[in-house]
Amino acid sequence: MSLTEKAVMTKKATREAFGDEIVKLGKENKNIYVVDIDIGKSCKTGEFIKQLPNQHVNVGIAEQNGAGLAAGLATTGKIPFVSTYAVFGSLRMAEQIRQEVCYPNLNVKIACSHGGLTPGNDGGSHQAIEDMGVLRTFPNMTVIMGSDYYSTRKLIEQAANTYGPMYLRFTRDAVPVIYNENEEFIIGKAKKLKHGKDIAIIANGDTVYLALEAAKQLEEQGISVTLLDMHTIKPLDREAVVECLDIGNIVTVEDHNILNGLGSAVCEVAAEEGRGRVKRIGVQDQFGESAPYEKLMEINGITIENIVQTAKEML
């Protein structure tokens, strides 16, 4: 696994990865369609609209209609990507995703920007903090969030070439670039960034960089760390979690409510295995507010300092 040396200097929003990758995929496969909910500028589908207008549909501000249209396209062999904000793509569309996409197991991808606290100043109404948790409870649904620009592009490519309903979550704000462009990813298989014996950290999405920096600080203090990028929270890489349970202590980190997200998924495995301890770092079961993204992360303890402190307290 090769990490870029420019992580501190280079930042890109993962919604940019969607905008770039979907154009590439659409040119390669004419069955790929984008179903827009009238916010293509924010969701970065503008270039797709320009270059591939015959593979694009804008349903207007009508998320539920968009889900139904995508389901219809999927029945004809198309591969639709429904593009909207995460708070709408998960909650307003939930019934249609359940009944019209997951129940018949159709090949629809829900591709959503503005995940977690990254909408920042847009306020709590636009910050999707429960989206992955809601959708991971739907049978047949796969739930994915890449940690940076390059991992997100690779996972979108995998999603386009893998059958089934999928939820892809992107950041509004720019996040550090961690990986090199040639890094490979497999849906449902965690990426191990560090291998250690004292404590395990399992992170997802925009928190992976924070966990990586925390792991470096812990190692400087003589604490050996296993670090996983759990980009797919459903299906969860159970084998990787069990290996972390062998270490004994696990810290999970996510930009999502600590209820029913990555932390809960890891806790479920720990409970079923009957061993190990898990501490969850994430949104503390509270709505966000209008504030800069970094400030909201700090309010919820989703920081390098808190990861380091929590890990040391567990030891």
Side-chain angles (χ1 to χ4, degrees):
M1 198 287 308
S2 53
L3 298 176
T4 176
E5 295 300 322
K6 299 180 180 179
V8 175
M9 298 175 61
T10 307
K11 288 186 175 184
K12 295 187 79 171
T14 60
R15 62 174 170 161
E16 300 278 359
F18 174 64
D20 294 341
E21 186 64 24
I22 200 65
V23 171
K24 170 181 170 288
L25 294 172
K27 289 179 176 179
E28 294 171 351
N29 184 347
K30 295 305 179 182
N31 283 324
I32 289 179
Y33 273 61
V34 166
V35 178
D36 255 322
I37 316 296
D38 213 33
I39 44 176
K41 182 177 180 181
S42 289
C43 294
K44 302 302 177 183
T45 57
E47 202 58 35
F48 190 97
I49 297 167
K50 290 178 186 176
Q51 297 193 36
L52 300 163
N54 294 329
Q55 293 165 245
H56 173 264
V57 182
N58 186 354
V59 300
I61 305 172
E63 290 85 358
Q64 294 167 329
N65 186 35
L69 175 64
L73 286 169
T75 66
T76 70
K78 307 302 182 186
I79 307 170
F81 282 73
V82 184
S83 178
T84 184
Y85 292 165
V87 71
F88 303 137
S90 60
L91 302 179
R92 189 172 295 172
M93 289 165 51
E95 181 182 359
Q96 285 69 33
I97 293 172
R98 182 187 188 275
Q99 299 295 102
E100 299 173 22
V101 175
C102 290
Y103 185 64
N105 195 27
L106 295 179
N107 195 23
V108 174
K109 319 302 176 184
I110 313 297
C112 292
S113 179
H114 292 53
L117 297 172
T118 66
N121 292 331
D122 290 343
S125 64
H126 279 58
Q127 294 157 9
I129 59 169
E130 57 283 278
D131 52 326
M132 294 193 290
V134 169
L135 294 182
R136 84 178 182 98
T137 65
F138 291 176
N140 296 323
M141 177 61 81
T142 295
V143 179
I144 300 168
M145 186 179 188
S147 59
D148 76 344
Y149 176 85
Y150 291 117
S151 63
T152 300
R153 286 197 67 163
K154 293 286 188 177
L155 289 163
I156 293 166
E157 180 183 32
Q158 285 248 322
N161 293 310
T162 304
Y163 186 91
M166 296 190 184
Y167 179 64
L168 299 154
R169 188 199 211 212
F170 314 130
T171 66
R172 176 195 182 279
D173 281 16
V175 293
V177 173
I178 299 172
Y179 298 101
N180 290 313
E181 59 185 326
N182 59 350
E183 193 70 33
E184 294 300 322
F185 293 82
I186 300 172
I187 291 173
K189 185 68 174 177
K191 178 70 71 172
K192 184 177 285 188
L193 304 185
K194 290 182 175 292
H195 180 75
K197 59 182 176 55
D198 295 329
I199 196 158
I201 303 174
I202 305 176
N204 170 269
D206 48 315
T207 70
V208 172
Y209 174 73
L210 302 177
L212 183 62
E213 291 300 303
K216 291 177 182 176
Q217 291 189 19
L218 288 165
E219 289 174 339
E220 289 171 358
Q221 299 175 48
I223 298 170
S224 178
V225 180
T226 285
L227 173 59
L228 300 183
D229 175 351
M230 192 66 76
H231 48 75
T232 309
I233 71 165
K234 185 189 177 185
L236 191 72
D237 188 344
R238 187 184 182 95
E239 181 180 348
V241 175
V242 168
E243 289 180 5
C244 291
L245 290 173
D246 291 339
I247 296 170
N249 293 310
I250 300 174
V251 179
T252 63
V253 194
E254 59 193 313
D255 181 1
H256 186 276
N257 196 335
I258 57 171
L259 302 180
N260 205 24
L262 171 65
S264 289
V266 170
C267 285
E268 288 161 14
V269 177
E272 289 168 355
E273 291 288 319
R275 59 199 177 95
R277 293 193 305 155
V278 182
K279 291 285 188 179
R280 296 172 295 167
I281 293 175
V283 178
Q284 297 298 301
D285 194 27
Q286 61 189 359
F287 288 108
E289 54 191 291
S290 183
Y293 161 59
E294 292 81 4
K295 180 64 176 178
L296 293 171
M297 296 285 272
E298 181 183 340
I299 289 170
N300 285 278
I302 312 171
T303 64
I304 296 168
E305 294 75 16
N306 192 38
I307 298 169
V308 170
Q309 181 180 340
T310 301
K312 292 172 70 174
E313 287 174 353
M314 291 190 80
L315 294 173

